[in-house]
Amino acid sequence: MDRRDFIRSVGAALASLLAARCYPAATCYTPAMPTPTGEGAWGRLRQPWTELDRLARDASDPERGEATRARLVAGHRAALDELVQTGELDPAVADEMQLAFEGAAYHTWRANAPLTCYLPAPWPDYVTESNVDLARQAEALEAMAAQSDLDPATVAQARASIERDIAFLTMPDAEQQALVAAIVQAAGNSTDYPSLAELDLDIPPESLEAARILVELLLGQR
Amino acid sequence: MTRPRLPTLIFEVTRACDHACLHCYNFWNHPDWRGETLPEDGDLRPLMAHVLEQVDCAHVTLTGGEPLLRPDLPDIVRFLAGRDVRVNLVSNGHRLTEERTAELIRGGVTLFELPLLSYRRQTHDALSGCAGAFDAVLAALAHIRAHRGQAVAVFVATRRNIADLYLTLKLAFAFGVRGVMLNRFNPGGRGAGRIEELLPTVEEMRGALAVAEAASQEFHLPISCSIPLQPCLMDMAATPHLGYGFCAAGSERAYYTLDTAGNVRPCNHTPTVLGNAWEKPFTEIIAPARLADFVAAVPDFCLPCARRDECQGGCKAAAQVCYGSLQAEEPFLRHRREQLPFGVTAHPPAGLGAIGSPRGGGRGQHIGHTSLRPGRG
C-alpha cells in the first residue's frame, strides 16, 4: 500500500463511518438535527464531510452527482487553503487531507452512481465483503466447482483467497480469531493467510498526521 | 486554458484478438468492414501523454481487441499509473497468467473487466469462439483475487446463454468479483451477422432482469446494465437494485475512444471519427458542434416519446453499424418493439431492409470518415 492509497483509504473509511453513523429515528415531521459544523475555517473544512450523504443522494443523477462532488472537493480545498494561510495547518498535511477527501468523495459517488460501460463498478477500495458474504462465497465456490466441473487448481486458489480474506477480516476480534484458528486448523498447512509483513505500511508522517486530524475534525475536536 | 474534464478515456491499444466472440461489437470485425489497417506495434505512450496533457482525466480504460496481445502492456500501465491515472483493463482473460496478473496489478491496473458468459464451459467457449476460454477466465479471476486485485465480470446476454444467468452470477460471486455488467447483446461487429441467432427477446430480457434483481440482493453484488435498454420495453422500476445506463456520447459522462493512430470517436461502439488527436486540439475534436449530429440522432419512432432525450432510442452506434444510420432503430428496438408493453403503437419506418442494407445519412450521417460499407460483400 503506498502513500496515496493509504490516505485515500482513510478518506473512504471515514466516509463509510459517516454513512453508518446512528441517527435518532427521524420522520418527515421530526427531522434529525444537522451535525454541528462549528465556526470558522475548521467548520468549513468539516462541512463537506457532513455533506457526503447529500452526494450519495445526488449521485443517482450523473450530472448532479458530478456537480456536487466537484463543489464539495473545491470547498474542502478552499477551507484547507485558509488554514494553511493562517498557519494552522502545514501545507503538506493539507495536501494529504485533500487527497483523503477526494478519496471519500469518489468512494461515495462511485458507490451510489449508476454504473456505466467503462466505470463499471464501485471504486476498488469499496470492500463489500463481510464474513457472512465470504462464508457464502466459499459455499458458492464449492457448489459451482461441482456444478461446472471447475479446474481444481483454480478452485484451490480461489478458496485460499476467501480463507485469507476471512482471516484478515477476523483478526481484530477475539471471538472471530477463534474462527480463524478453526479455519487454520481445518486447512492444515495449505493456506495462504497474509503475514504480518504484508500488513506493514510504509506511510510518511504527514499522511498519518492528516489521518489523525481528520478523525479529530469529524469527532468535533477541532 | 481550462482542460475539459472527462470521467474516463478509452484507449483501444490493439485491434488484434485471440478470441472470435460471436457477439463481438468491434466494428472492424463487421463482415463488411473495409477500413484502414492501424499501426499495432508502435509506442503508444507519446499519444497517451499528448492526449492526457490536454484533458483533466484520472481514469483510463485499456481495451481492444485483446490488450494482452501487446507485449508492452505492463509498460503502458505503469506509464499511466505514474501519471496518477487509474487503469481499467478490459480483457478476455486468456493471457492473464498468474505472473502477468501480478505484474499488472503491481503496475497499476485497478480494475479488470473480464467476460463470464456462462457457468457452463461449453457455452462460454462457444460464445467466445475459443476453446479453453472458460477455464482461462476463471483462472484469471482467481489470480486477480489472490493478488488483491479487483475484477468485474461481464455477462453478455444472448439467446444462447441467457438461461444460464443465475448460476453464472453465483459463479462470479464465488470468485469475488466486485460487480457484474449484465449487457444485453449489442450487435455491432461480428455480432451484426448473428442478430436473429443471438438477440434476446424482450421477454427473455425481462426475465433476465428479474433474475439479476434477485441475485443482486442475494449475493450483495452490484449489477449494471450498461448497454441501453429502452424504457418502453423494460420496466426498470421493477428492478431497483440494478443500474441502468444510456448513451453518454456528447455528455459530461462521455467516454471518448482513441485508437492507436490517434483517431478520436464518441464511443467505442461507433466507427465515427471526430478527428485525430495528432492533428487537432482535443477540445476542438470534442466541440459540441462536431458531436451535434451524433447527439441529436434519434429514431423517428422515438420522437413522440417523453423519455427520448434520456433513452435516445438505445445504442445509436449499433444502429449505425448494422443499418448504416445513427437515426435508424437499433437492432434491439427494431426487432423487439412489437412486444412493447406499455401501449405504444409500433409504426415501422419505411426503408429498413435486411441487416446491412444501405440507409441515407439524414441527421445521422457520419462526421468524419468511416470505412464501414453496409450492403456490400
Side-chain angles (χ1 to χ4, degrees), chain B residues 88-127:
Chain B
N88 268 22
L89 179 64
V90 180
S91 167
N92 60 41
H94 215 134
R95 290 167 186 261
L96 276 172
T97 62
E98 181 157 10
E99 184 183 9
R100 201 111 196 252
T101 302
E103 181 185 20
L104 289 168
I105 291 170
R106 280 197 307 272
V109 172
T110 52
L111 192 69
F112 294 82
E113 194 179 307
L114 304 180
L116 193 55
L117 304 172
S118 175
Y119 69 95
R120 294 182 295 162
R121 181 178 289 101
Q122 188 179 7
T123 302
H124 181 101
D125 286 0
L127 284 169

mmCIF file of all heavy atoms in Angstrom, chain B residues 88-127:
data_model
loop_
_atom_site.group_PDB
_atom_site.id
_atom_site.type_symbol
_atom_site.label_atom_id
_atom_site.label_comp_id
_atom_site.label_asym_id
_atom_site.label_seq_id
_atom_site.Cartn_x
_atom_site.Cartn_y
_atom_site.Cartn_z
ATOM 1 N N ASN B 88 -8.359 0.785 -15.916
ATOM 2 C CA ASN B 88 -9.222 -0.391 -16.121
ATOM 3 C C ASN B 88 -8.639 -1.194 -17.266
ATOM 4 O O ASN B 88 -8.217 -0.607 -18.264
ATOM 5 C CB ASN B 88 -10.617 0.047 -16.575
ATOM 6 C CG ASN B 88 -11.575 0.244 -15.452
ATOM 7 O OD1 ASN B 88 -11.173 0.461 -14.324
ATOM 8 N ND2 ASN B 88 -12.855 0.215 -15.780
ATOM 9 N N LEU B 89 -8.664 -2.472 -17.146
ATOM 10 C CA LEU B 89 -8.199 -3.302 -18.254
ATOM 11 C C LEU B 89 -9.332 -4.225 -18.684
ATOM 12 O O LEU B 89 -9.805 -5.052 -17.902
ATOM 13 C CB LEU B 89 -6.976 -4.124 -17.826
ATOM 14 C CG LEU B 89 -6.411 -5.045 -18.904
ATOM 15 C CD1 LEU B 89 -5.885 -4.254 -20.095
ATOM 16 C CD2 LEU B 89 -5.301 -5.913 -18.337
ATOM 17 N N VAL B 90 -9.762 -4.064 -19.927
ATOM 18 C CA VAL B 90 -10.786 -4.932 -20.489
ATOM 19 C C VAL B 90 -10.072 -6.041 -21.259
ATOM 20 O O VAL B 90 -9.305 -5.761 -22.183
ATOM 21 C CB VAL B 90 -11.718 -4.157 -21.439
ATOM 22 C CG1 VAL B 90 -12.777 -5.092 -22.017
ATOM 23 C CG2 VAL B 90 -12.368 -2.994 -20.721
ATOM 24 N N SER B 91 -10.303 -7.274 -20.867
ATOM 25 C CA SER B 91 -9.563 -8.385 -21.463
ATOM 26 C C SER B 91 -10.467 -9.606 -21.515
ATOM 27 O O SER B 91 -11.474 -9.685 -20.802
ATOM 28 C CB SER B 91 -8.325 -8.684 -20.597
ATOM 29 O OG SER B 91 -7.741 -9.918 -20.951
ATOM 30 N N ASN B 92 -10.094 -10.571 -22.358
ATOM 31 C CA ASN B 92 -10.827 -11.841 -22.307
ATOM 32 C C ASN B 92 -10.229 -12.773 -21.260
ATOM 33 O O ASN B 92 -10.769 -13.844 -20.993
ATOM 34 C CB ASN B 92 -10.871 -12.517 -23.681
ATOM 35 C CG ASN B 92 -9.480 -12.829 -24.231
ATOM 36 O OD1 ASN B 92 -8.591 -13.259 -23.501
ATOM 37 N ND2 ASN B 92 -9.307 -12.623 -25.527
ATOM 38 N N GLY B 93 -9.106 -12.381 -20.683
ATOM 39 C CA GLY B 93 -8.516 -13.121 -19.575
ATOM 40 C C GLY B 93 -7.638 -14.291 -19.971
ATOM 41 O O GLY B 93 -6.985 -14.900 -19.122
ATOM 42 N N HIS B 94 -7.591 -14.578 -21.267
ATOM 43 C CA HIS B 94 -6.921 -15.808 -21.677
ATOM 44 C C HIS B 94 -5.421 -15.773 -21.412
ATOM 45 O O HIS B 94 -4.794 -16.799 -21.174
ATOM 46 C CB HIS B 94 -7.192 -16.078 -23.162
ATOM 47 C CG HIS B 94 -7.308 -17.535 -23.480
ATOM 48 N ND1 HIS B 94 -8.295 -18.062 -24.267
ATOM 49 C CD2 HIS B 94 -6.579 -18.594 -23.084
ATOM 50 C CE1 HIS B 94 -8.163 -19.368 -24.359
ATOM 51 N NE2 HIS B 94 -7.121 -19.718 -23.647
ATOM 52 N N ARG B 95 -4.847 -14.608 -21.459
ATOM 53 C CA ARG B 95 -3.391 -14.491 -21.282
ATOM 54 C C ARG B 95 -3.019 -13.941 -19.912
ATOM 55 O O ARG B 95 -1.871 -13.550 -19.688
ATOM 56 C CB ARG B 95 -2.816 -13.599 -22.390
ATOM 57 C CG ARG B 95 -2.860 -14.283 -23.737
ATOM 58 C CD ARG B 95 -2.610 -13.336 -24.887
ATOM 59 N NE ARG B 95 -2.807 -14.048 -26.145
ATOM 60 C CZ ARG B 95 -1.820 -14.552 -26.891
ATOM 61 N NH1 ARG B 95 -0.567 -14.412 -26.527
ATOM 62 N NH2 ARG B 95 -2.096 -15.195 -28.012
ATOM 63 N N LEU B 96 -3.992 -13.918 -19.017
ATOM 64 C CA LEU B 96 -3.689 -13.425 -17.666
ATOM 65 C C LEU B 96 -3.142 -14.569 -16.821
ATOM 66 O O LEU B 96 -3.846 -15.132 -15.971
ATOM 67 C CB LEU B 96 -4.943 -12.820 -17.032
ATOM 68 C CG LEU B 96 -5.245 -11.373 -17.396
ATOM 69 C CD1 LEU B 96 -6.607 -10.958 -16.863
ATOM 70 C CD2 LEU B 96 -4.175 -10.433 -16.866
ATOM 71 N N THR B 97 -1.908 -14.907 -17.079
ATOM 72 C CA THR B 97 -1.251 -15.874 -16.213
ATOM 73 C C THR B 97 -1.073 -15.243 -14.839
ATOM 74 O O THR B 97 -1.218 -14.019 -14.677
ATOM 75 C CB THR B 97 0.128 -16.226 -16.763
ATOM 76 O OG1 THR B 97 0.917 -15.016 -16.780
ATOM 77 C CG2 THR B 97 0.038 -16.800 -18.175
ATOM 78 N N GLU B 98 -0.747 -16.068 -13.867
ATOM 79 C CA GLU B 98 -0.586 -15.508 -12.522
ATOM 80 C C GLU B 98 0.536 -14.465 -12.494
ATOM 81 O O GLU B 98 0.394 -13.397 -11.894
ATOM 82 C CB GLU B 98 -0.304 -16.615 -11.509
ATOM 83 C CG GLU B 98 -0.165 -16.057 -10.094
ATOM 84 C CD GLU B 98 -0.435 -17.075 -9.018
ATOM 85 O OE1 GLU B 98 -0.556 -18.263 -9.332
ATOM 86 O OE2 GLU B 98 -0.526 -16.659 -7.842
ATOM 87 N N GLU B 99 1.610 -14.764 -13.175
ATOM 88 C CA GLU B 99 2.739 -13.827 -13.184
ATOM 89 C C GLU B 99 2.346 -12.499 -13.842
ATOM 90 O O GLU B 99 2.642 -11.418 -13.340
ATOM 91 C CB GLU B 99 3.903 -14.472 -13.938
ATOM 92 C CG GLU B 99 5.170 -13.641 -13.936
ATOM 93 C CD GLU B 99 6.262 -14.301 -14.774
ATOM 94 O OE1 GLU B 99 5.967 -15.290 -15.473
ATOM 95 O OE2 GLU B 99 7.397 -13.813 -14.714
ATOM 96 N N ARG B 100 1.658 -12.600 -14.954
ATOM 97 C CA ARG B 100 1.265 -11.392 -15.685
ATOM 98 C C ARG B 100 0.225 -10.599 -14.876
ATOM 99 O O ARG B 100 0.247 -9.369 -14.839
ATOM 100 C CB ARG B 100 0.677 -11.800 -17.038
ATOM 101 C CG ARG B 100 0.692 -10.721 -18.074
ATOM 102 C CD ARG B 100 1.677 -11.043 -19.192
ATOM 103 N NE ARG B 100 1.993 -9.877 -20.007
ATOM 104 C CZ ARG B 100 1.557 -9.710 -21.256
ATOM 105 N NH1 ARG B 100 0.792 -10.613 -21.817
ATOM 106 N NH2 ARG B 100 1.908 -8.639 -21.941
ATOM 107 N N THR B 101 -0.678 -11.323 -14.253
ATOM 108 C CA THR B 101 -1.704 -10.653 -13.435
ATOM 109 C C THR B 101 -1.041 -9.867 -12.312
ATOM 110 O O THR B 101 -1.370 -8.693 -12.085
ATOM 111 C CB THR B 101 -2.668 -11.700 -12.837
ATOM 112 O OG1 THR B 101 -3.255 -12.447 -13.902
ATOM 113 C CG2 THR B 101 -3.750 -11.033 -12.019
ATOM 114 N N ALA B 102 -0.108 -10.524 -11.627
ATOM 115 C CA ALA B 102 0.566 -9.857 -10.513
ATOM 116 C C ALA B 102 1.329 -8.632 -11.005
ATOM 117 O O ALA B 102 1.309 -7.566 -10.370
ATOM 118 C CB ALA B 102 1.511 -10.838 -9.831
ATOM 119 N N GLU B 103 1.967 -8.778 -12.150
ATOM 120 C CA GLU B 103 2.734 -7.654 -12.704
ATOM 121 C C GLU B 103 1.818 -6.471 -13.034
ATOM 122 O O GLU B 103 2.141 -5.311 -12.756
ATOM 123 C CB GLU B 103 3.468 -8.123 -13.963
ATOM 124 C CG GLU B 103 4.314 -7.029 -14.602
ATOM 125 C CD GLU B 103 4.939 -7.496 -15.917
ATOM 126 O OE1 GLU B 103 4.437 -8.481 -16.512
ATOM 127 O OE2 GLU B 103 5.925 -6.867 -16.346
ATOM 128 N N LEU B 104 0.661 -6.770 -13.603
ATOM 129 C CA LEU B 104 -0.263 -5.689 -13.980
ATOM 130 C C LEU B 104 -0.867 -5.016 -12.748
ATOM 131 O O LEU B 104 -1.069 -3.799 -12.731
ATOM 132 C CB LEU B 104 -1.358 -6.242 -14.889
ATOM 133 C CG LEU B 104 -0.882 -6.619 -16.300
ATOM 134 C CD1 LEU B 104 -1.949 -7.430 -17.035
ATOM 135 C CD2 LEU B 104 -0.512 -5.370 -17.102
ATOM 136 N N ILE B 105 -1.162 -5.812 -11.732
ATOM 137 C CA ILE B 105 -1.704 -5.213 -10.505
ATOM 138 C C ILE B 105 -0.643 -4.334 -9.844
ATOM 139 O O ILE B 105 -0.918 -3.202 -9.434
ATOM 140 C CB ILE B 105 -2.204 -6.307 -9.544
ATOM 141 C CG1 ILE B 105 -3.449 -6.981 -10.132
ATOM 142 C CG2 ILE B 105 -2.519 -5.725 -8.159
ATOM 143 C CD1 ILE B 105 -3.879 -8.235 -9.388
ATOM 144 N N ARG B 106 0.557 -4.857 -9.773
ATOM 145 C CA ARG B 106 1.647 -4.038 -9.207
ATOM 146 C C ARG B 106 1.851 -2.786 -10.041
ATOM 147 O O ARG B 106 2.129 -1.710 -9.525
ATOM 148 C CB ARG B 106 2.948 -4.841 -9.175
ATOM 149 C CG ARG B 106 3.081 -5.812 -8.015
ATOM 150 C CD ARG B 106 4.538 -6.224 -7.841
ATOM 151 N NE ARG B 106 5.145 -6.727 -9.063
ATOM 152 C CZ ARG B 106 5.106 -8.005 -9.458
ATOM 153 N NH1 ARG B 106 4.494 -8.900 -8.710
ATOM 154 N NH2 ARG B 106 5.679 -8.386 -10.580
ATOM 155 N N GLY B 107 1.699 -2.932 -11.355
ATOM 156 C CA GLY B 107 1.938 -1.801 -12.244
ATOM 157 C C GLY B 107 0.898 -0.712 -12.139
ATOM 158 O O GLY B 107 1.181 0.448 -12.430
ATOM 159 N N GLY B 108 -0.336 -1.079 -11.743
ATOM 160 C CA GLY B 108 -1.335 -0.035 -11.576
ATOM 161 C C GLY B 108 -2.710 -0.335 -12.138
ATOM 162 O O GLY B 108 -3.561 0.562 -12.178
ATOM 163 N N VAL B 109 -2.976 -1.553 -12.595
ATOM 164 C CA VAL B 109 -4.346 -1.863 -13.021
ATOM 165 C C VAL B 109 -5.223 -1.928 -11.779
ATOM 166 O O VAL B 109 -4.980 -2.739 -10.879
ATOM 167 C CB VAL B 109 -4.413 -3.202 -13.793
ATOM 168 C CG1 VAL B 109 -5.871 -3.585 -14.055
ATOM 169 C CG2 VAL B 109 -3.661 -3.085 -15.115
ATOM 170 N N THR B 110 -6.208 -1.068 -11.713
ATOM 171 C CA THR B 110 -7.065 -1.036 -10.535
ATOM 172 C C THR B 110 -8.319 -1.883 -10.720
ATOM 173 O O THR B 110 -8.991 -2.205 -9.743
ATOM 174 C CB THR B 110 -7.495 0.396 -10.192
ATOM 175 O OG1 THR B 110 -8.045 1.004 -11.360
ATOM 176 C CG2 THR B 110 -6.308 1.208 -9.715
ATOM 177 N N LEU B 111 -8.630 -2.207 -11.953
ATOM 178 C CA LEU B 111 -9.835 -2.995 -12.186
ATOM 179 C C LEU B 111 -9.687 -3.791 -13.481
ATOM 180 O O LEU B 111 -9.321 -3.238 -14.516
ATOM 181 C CB LEU B 111 -11.058 -2.080 -12.289
ATOM 182 C CG LEU B 111 -12.410 -2.770 -12.251
ATOM 183 C CD1 LEU B 111 -12.688 -3.341 -10.873
ATOM 184 C CD2 LEU B 111 -13.513 -1.798 -12.635
ATOM 185 N N PHE B 112 -9.966 -5.070 -13.389
ATOM 186 C CA PHE B 112 -10.005 -5.932 -14.573
ATOM 187 C C PHE B 112 -11.471 -6.166 -14.934
ATOM 188 O O PHE B 112 -12.292 -6.401 -14.048
ATOM 189 C CB PHE B 112 -9.348 -7.283 -14.288
ATOM 190 C CG PHE B 112 -7.869 -7.217 -14.023
ATOM 191 C CD1 PHE B 112 -7.390 -6.891 -12.763
ATOM 192 C CD2 PHE B 112 -6.956 -7.481 -15.027
ATOM 193 C CE1 PHE B 112 -6.025 -6.833 -12.500
ATOM 194 C CE2 PHE B 112 -5.595 -7.421 -14.783
ATOM 195 C CZ PHE B 112 -5.121 -7.100 -13.519
ATOM 196 N N GLU B 113 -11.746 -6.121 -16.211
ATOM 197 C CA GLU B 113 -13.112 -6.345 -16.678
ATOM 198 C C GLU B 113 -13.079 -7.569 -17.585
ATOM 199 O O GLU B 113 -12.560 -7.511 -18.699
ATOM 200 C CB GLU B 113 -13.569 -5.099 -17.430
ATOM 201 C CG GLU B 113 -15.038 -5.020 -17.700
ATOM 202 C CD GLU B 113 -15.366 -3.737 -18.432
ATOM 203 O OE1 GLU B 113 -14.978 -2.657 -17.946
ATOM 204 O OE2 GLU B 113 -15.971 -3.818 -19.507
ATOM 205 N N LEU B 114 -13.621 -8.680 -17.100
ATOM 206 C CA LEU B 114 -13.476 -9.955 -17.808
ATOM 207 C C LEU B 114 -14.831 -10.565 -18.118
ATOM 208 O O LEU B 114 -15.776 -10.447 -17.323
ATOM 209 C CB LEU B 114 -12.683 -10.943 -16.938
ATOM 210 C CG LEU B 114 -11.303 -10.499 -16.448
ATOM 211 C CD1 LEU B 114 -10.671 -11.605 -15.609
ATOM 212 C CD2 LEU B 114 -10.392 -10.166 -17.603
ATOM 213 N N PRO B 115 -14.948 -11.249 -19.240
ATOM 214 C CA PRO B 115 -16.239 -11.868 -19.583
ATOM 215 C C PRO B 115 -16.482 -13.139 -18.776
ATOM 216 O O PRO B 115 -15.556 -13.917 -18.523
ATOM 217 C CB PRO B 115 -16.061 -12.208 -21.074
ATOM 218 C CG PRO B 115 -14.590 -12.426 -21.226
ATOM 219 C CD PRO B 115 -13.926 -11.486 -20.252
ATOM 220 N N LEU B 116 -17.702 -13.311 -18.362
ATOM 221 C CA LEU B 116 -18.123 -14.596 -17.799
ATOM 222 C C LEU B 116 -19.493 -14.859 -18.414
ATOM 223 O O LEU B 116 -20.498 -14.306 -17.981
ATOM 224 C CB LEU B 116 -18.188 -14.534 -16.274
ATOM 225 C CG LEU B 116 -18.307 -15.893 -15.581
ATOM 226 C CD1 LEU B 116 -17.188 -16.837 -15.979
ATOM 227 C CD2 LEU B 116 -18.320 -15.730 -14.070
ATOM 228 N N LEU B 117 -19.509 -15.668 -19.443
ATOM 229 C CA LEU B 117 -20.669 -15.770 -20.320
ATOM 230 C C LEU B 117 -21.599 -16.910 -19.945
ATOM 231 O O LEU B 117 -22.698 -17.011 -20.469
ATOM 232 C CB LEU B 117 -20.207 -15.927 -21.777
ATOM 233 C CG LEU B 117 -19.283 -14.804 -22.267
ATOM 234 C CD1 LEU B 117 -18.716 -15.142 -23.640
ATOM 235 C CD2 LEU B 117 -20.015 -13.465 -22.300
ATOM 236 N N SER B 118 -21.135 -17.759 -19.073
ATOM 237 C CA SER B 118 -21.956 -18.886 -18.641
ATOM 238 C C SER B 118 -21.244 -19.583 -17.494
ATOM 239 O O SER B 118 -20.041 -19.400 -17.295
ATOM 240 C CB SER B 118 -22.171 -19.878 -19.798
ATOM 241 O OG SER B 118 -22.866 -21.019 -19.347
ATOM 242 N N TYR B 119 -21.995 -20.382 -16.764
ATOM 243 C CA TYR B 119 -21.341 -21.261 -15.786
ATOM 244 C C TYR B 119 -20.959 -22.573 -16.451
ATOM 245 O O TYR B 119 -20.365 -23.444 -15.821
ATOM 246 C CB TYR B 119 -22.269 -21.521 -14.600
ATOM 247 C CG TYR B 119 -23.473 -22.372 -14.924
ATOM 248 C CD1 TYR B 119 -23.465 -23.734 -14.707
ATOM 249 C CD2 TYR B 119 -24.616 -21.805 -15.496
ATOM 250 C CE1 TYR B 119 -24.565 -24.521 -15.020
ATOM 251 C CE2 TYR B 119 -25.709 -22.591 -15.828
ATOM 252 C CZ TYR B 119 -25.679 -23.944 -15.588
ATOM 253 O OH TYR B 119 -26.764 -24.712 -15.921
ATOM 254 N N ARG B 120 -21.303 -22.690 -17.713
ATOM 255 C CA ARG B 120 -21.015 -23.923 -18.449
ATOM 256 C C ARG B 120 -19.853 -23.682 -19.416
ATOM 257 O O ARG B 120 -19.885 -22.754 -20.232
ATOM 258 C CB ARG B 120 -22.256 -24.382 -19.224
ATOM 259 C CG ARG B 120 -23.398 -24.810 -18.303
ATOM 260 C CD ARG B 120 -24.588 -25.303 -19.076
ATOM 261 N NE ARG B 120 -25.183 -24.232 -19.883
ATOM 262 C CZ ARG B 120 -25.999 -24.447 -20.894
ATOM 263 N NH1 ARG B 120 -26.304 -25.671 -21.245
ATOM 264 N NH2 ARG B 120 -26.499 -23.429 -21.569
ATOM 265 N N ARG B 121 -18.877 -24.521 -19.299
ATOM 266 C CA ARG B 121 -17.658 -24.393 -20.121
ATOM 267 C C ARG B 121 -17.990 -24.352 -21.603
ATOM 268 O O ARG B 121 -17.487 -23.512 -22.356
ATOM 269 C CB ARG B 121 -16.742 -25.574 -19.808
ATOM 270 C CG ARG B 121 -15.423 -25.591 -20.562
ATOM 271 C CD ARG B 121 -14.562 -26.767 -20.140
ATOM 272 N NE ARG B 121 -14.032 -26.601 -18.791
ATOM 273 C CZ ARG B 121 -14.513 -27.176 -17.685
ATOM 274 N NH1 ARG B 121 -15.565 -27.983 -17.781
ATOM 275 N NH2 ARG B 121 -13.984 -26.961 -16.509
ATOM 276 N N GLN B 122 -18.844 -25.245 -22.023
ATOM 277 C CA GLN B 122 -19.140 -25.381 -23.446
ATOM 278 C C GLN B 122 -19.778 -24.102 -24.003
ATOM 279 O O GLN B 122 -19.432 -23.641 -25.099
ATOM 280 C CB GLN B 122 -20.084 -26.565 -23.641
ATOM 281 C CG GLN B 122 -20.324 -26.928 -25.088
ATOM 282 C CD GLN B 122 -21.252 -28.143 -25.216
ATOM 283 O OE1 GLN B 122 -21.814 -28.619 -24.224
ATOM 284 N NE2 GLN B 122 -21.413 -28.635 -26.423
ATOM 285 N N THR B 123 -20.677 -23.520 -23.223
ATOM 286 C CA THR B 123 -21.359 -22.312 -23.699
ATOM 287 C C THR B 123 -20.413 -21.125 -23.731
ATOM 288 O O THR B 123 -20.384 -20.360 -24.708
ATOM 289 C CB THR B 123 -22.566 -22.004 -22.781
ATOM 290 O OG1 THR B 123 -23.427 -23.136 -22.776
ATOM 291 C CG2 THR B 123 -23.319 -20.773 -23.250
ATOM 292 N N HIS B 124 -19.642 -20.972 -22.666
ATOM 293 C CA HIS B 124 -18.695 -19.840 -22.633
ATOM 294 C C HIS B 124 -17.701 -19.960 -23.789
ATOM 295 O O HIS B 124 -17.430 -18.972 -24.492
ATOM 296 C CB HIS B 124 -17.953 -19.812 -21.292
ATOM 297 C CG HIS B 124 -16.996 -18.669 -21.164
ATOM 298 N ND1 HIS B 124 -17.282 -17.517 -20.456
ATOM 299 C CD2 HIS B 124 -15.738 -18.496 -21.662
ATOM 300 C CE1 HIS B 124 -16.254 -16.689 -20.530
ATOM 301 N NE2 HIS B 124 -15.305 -17.261 -21.251
ATOM 302 N N ASP B 125 -17.167 -21.146 -23.981
ATOM 303 C CA ASP B 125 -16.174 -21.325 -25.048
ATOM 304 C C ASP B 125 -16.793 -21.103 -26.429
ATOM 305 O O ASP B 125 -16.162 -20.504 -27.311
ATOM 306 C CB ASP B 125 -15.561 -22.732 -24.977
ATOM 307 C CG ASP B 125 -14.588 -22.877 -23.811
ATOM 308 O OD1 ASP B 125 -14.401 -21.893 -23.065
ATOM 309 O OD2 ASP B 125 -14.026 -23.972 -23.641
ATOM 310 N N ALA B 126 -18.010 -21.583 -26.604
ATOM 311 C CA ALA B 126 -18.658 -21.428 -27.915
ATOM 312 C C ALA B 126 -18.917 -19.953 -28.219
ATOM 313 O O ALA B 126 -18.652 -19.473 -29.329
ATOM 314 C CB ALA B 126 -19.964 -22.214 -27.949
ATOM 315 N N LEU B 127 -19.429 -19.220 -27.231
ATOM 316 C CA LEU B 127 -19.683 -17.797 -27.457
ATOM 317 C C LEU B 127 -18.375 -17.029 -27.656
ATOM 318 O O LEU B 127 -18.336 -16.023 -28.364
ATOM 319 C CB LEU B 127 -20.466 -17.203 -26.285
ATOM 320 C CG LEU B 127 -21.959 -17.547 -26.259
ATOM 321 C CD1 LEU B 127 -22.590 -17.150 -24.920
ATOM 322 C CD2 LEU B 127 -22.698 -16.839 -27.391
#
